Structure formats: structure tokens, C-alpha cells
Amino acid sequence: MFNLNDCIGFITNTASKKIVDAFNVRLQEHQITRVKWIALFFIGEVNNISQKELAQRMNANESSIARLLERMEKDDLCIRTRDTSDRRIIRISLTSKGEQLRAELLPLGQIFHEDATKGISPSELDIFKNVLEKMVSNLTK
């Protein structure tokens, strides 16, 4: 008989919410949202990233990313420009303020990762990631 408490979707969703909430609490001290933190990470990783690619990397729809980027532009964290070869493509890069904030906040991700994975061996983490990838693959075929 089906038991919701044993359902992998319910278990992973509950765990994900708790992990996200814990990271949000840490970011509140720095007056930034988790979503902005993630955007800063990816924009800094791939300078002049397209809005579409950013949406894909953040696993979000483009309209949500457009609104996020509007707020980030108002905060002087990024700049959006039209691609010179294809005006339909919007490119995003960090401002110096955005680069500085990214450099200050990036270590929070590492510290959080270390805290969350305390007592878990690298091989256990590899198994965890592999199992999640297989589940996602099973459900997206």
C-alpha cells in the first residue's frame, strides 16, 4: 500500500525545502535573496551569458529571470545588453558592484555546503548525486 512518508518525491521535496530555508536564513544577514545569489554565481561564471542560458542554468522560466534581472539592474548588480550579432538575444554581465558582492558572498555557498555535508563522506555524496540524477533521468525520458 502506498505511504506518502516513503514516497521519494515527498521526501526529496521536504528535504529541499528545509535546505533552501536554511540557506535563505544565512543570506538574510547579507540582505540578498537566494535567487539573486544564484544569479550572481552564474553571471559571474559565464560573463555575457544570455538571458535564455541563465534561465536554463537556474531552472527557471525566462519571464521570471527577466523580472529578477530588472531588480538586479536597479540595484546596480548587472547590465543587460543586446547581442551585437542577434538583437533578439539579451546578454548579461556583472557590474563592478555585482562582481564585488559576488566575491563577498560566494564563500557562503562553500560554508553552507560544508555544514550541510558534515559527517558525509565524498563517496556517500557521489552516490547521493548519482541516485538523484538517475531518478531525474527516469522521469524525464
Side-chain angles (χ1 to χ4, degrees):
M1 170 151 225
F2 178 79
N3 182 346
L4 185 61
N5 293 311
D6 293 330
C7 176
I8 201 69
F10 184 74
I11 293 167
T12 55
N13 186 55
T14 301
S16 178
K17 284 181 179 180
K18 289 179 180 184
I19 291 167
V20 165
D21 289 347
F23 193 49
N24 280 332
V25 167
R26 293 189 188 197
L27 290 174
Q28 283 174 349
E29 300 172 22
H30 303 277
Q31 290 83 43
I32 190 162
T33 65
R34 180 183 56 84
V35 174
K36 277 187 186 176
W37 185 90
I38 294 169
L40 285 170
F41 174 83
F42 285 122
I43 297 168
E45 185 178 57
V46 181
N47 194 33
N48 281 324
I49 191 171
S50 73
Q51 186 170 310
K52 182 177 185 169
E53 184 179 350
L54 180 62
Q56 289 169 342
R57 285 178 180 242
M58 291 182 66
N59 197 26
N61 63 49
E62 284 190 66
S63 61
S64 295
I65 295 301
R67 290 189 301 275
L68 169 66
L69 292 172
E70 275 180 37
R71 293 188 303 273
M72 290 179 70
E73 265 189 321
K74 285 180 186 173
D75 293 340
D76 191 32
L77 298 175
C78 71
I79 300 169
R80 292 183 290 177
T81 55
R82 294 275 174 194
D83 188 279
T84 53
S85 61
D86 186 342
R87 306 269 309 146
R88 296 171 296 178
I89 298 173
I90 298 171
R91 299 262 173 216
I92 304 115
S93 58
L94 294 178
T95 62
S96 58
K97 181 180 176 182
E99 288 174 358
Q100 181 180 355
L101 184 62
R102 181 182 189 271
E104 290 171 19
L105 296 179
L106 215 50
L108 292 177
Q110 183 63 39
I111 292 166
F112 185 78
H113 174 78
E114 290 168 4
D115 289 346
T117 59
K118 201 173 292 176
I120 302 170
S121 72
S123 63
E124 288 173 316
L125 281 175
D126 285 343
I127 291 167
F128 172 73
K129 290 186 243 180
N130 287 333
V131 168
L132 285 177
E133 285 174 12
K134 286 179 183 179
M135 283 188 230
V136 169
S137 177
N138 288 342
L139 298 171
T140 56
K141 285 183 180 178

